[in-house]
Amino acid sequence: MAVSIDGGRGDRRKSLNAELNLVPYIDLLTCMVAFLLATAVWTQLARLKVDQHGQGEQIEGAIDETLKVAVVVHDDGFNLIVGRDQKPLPLKAGELDYAALGGELAAVKASHPDLRDAQVISADGVVFDKIVRTMDATMTAGFSNLALLDAVP
């Protein structure tokens, strides 16, 4: 497939015929469309629905009667905070114990089946994979509304 441009003869001695090959351009566009279609699917699958709340958003004088569930992720393990109670979950064999966390969260969910909100709190130094696995364990236990917070040093 080519395009021919004719400059006309007129009184010029040299003809201005030129051929422009469009096949490489069409091949490039076809590859780009295929690539964009293939990657558009993966951007939807790899998304986590998480709310981000800042500290200090509560209005002064307002009393919040709901039970808060929070999981603090740090290098020494987890801290599970339910209301005013706090339970540390230390490392197991040098790794974070996601099974113990899931079990504790499932117990909290069994005792309070109407709870859907949970917070995952981590410091800047925690590896992203650990945060995602913590969020997965929290969602598996039945807490569908997650909020991701920064730990205050």
Side-chain angles (χ1 to χ4, degrees), residues 75-77 90-97 130:
D75 293 333
D76 298 330
L91 296 174
K92 183 177 182 181
E95 294 291 324
L96 292 173
D97 193 3
K130 293 179 181 179

Side-chain angles (χ1 to χ4, degrees), residues 25-132:
Y25 181 69
I26 292 172
D27 288 343
L28 176 69
L29 288 179
T30 305
C31 290
M32 287 175 57
V33 167
F35 175 75
L36 291 175
L37 287 175
T39 58
V41 174
W42 295 110
T43 60
Q44 297 299 319
L45 293 177
R47 183 172 50 181
L48 289 173
K49 185 179 184 316
V50 176
D51 297 328
Q52 185 175 11
H53 300 288
Q55 285 86 12
E57 284 187 3
Q58 191 172 0
I59 300 171
E60 277 188 45
I63 300 173
D64 194 7
E65 296 293 328
T66 60
L67 186 66
K68 299 273 186 185
V69 176
V71 179
V72 181
V73 185
H74 50 81
D75 293 333
D76 298 330
F78 298 111
N79 281 346
L80 178 61
I81 302 170
V82 180
R84 295 183 184 265
D85 299 329
Q86 181 174 349
K87 181 173 186 177
L89 300 170
L91 296 174
K92 183 177 182 181
E95 294 291 324
L96 292 173
D97 193 3
Y98 298 103
L101 176 66
E104 292 293 330
L105 286 170
V108 170
K109 183 66 174 178
S111 63
H112 304 285
D114 58 333
L115 281 177
R116 292 184 11 208
D117 298 336
Q119 299 174 343
V120 176
I121 303 170
S122 69
D124 288 337
V126 177
V127 179
F128 183 70
D129 181 52
K130 293 179 181 179
I131 296 171
V132 171

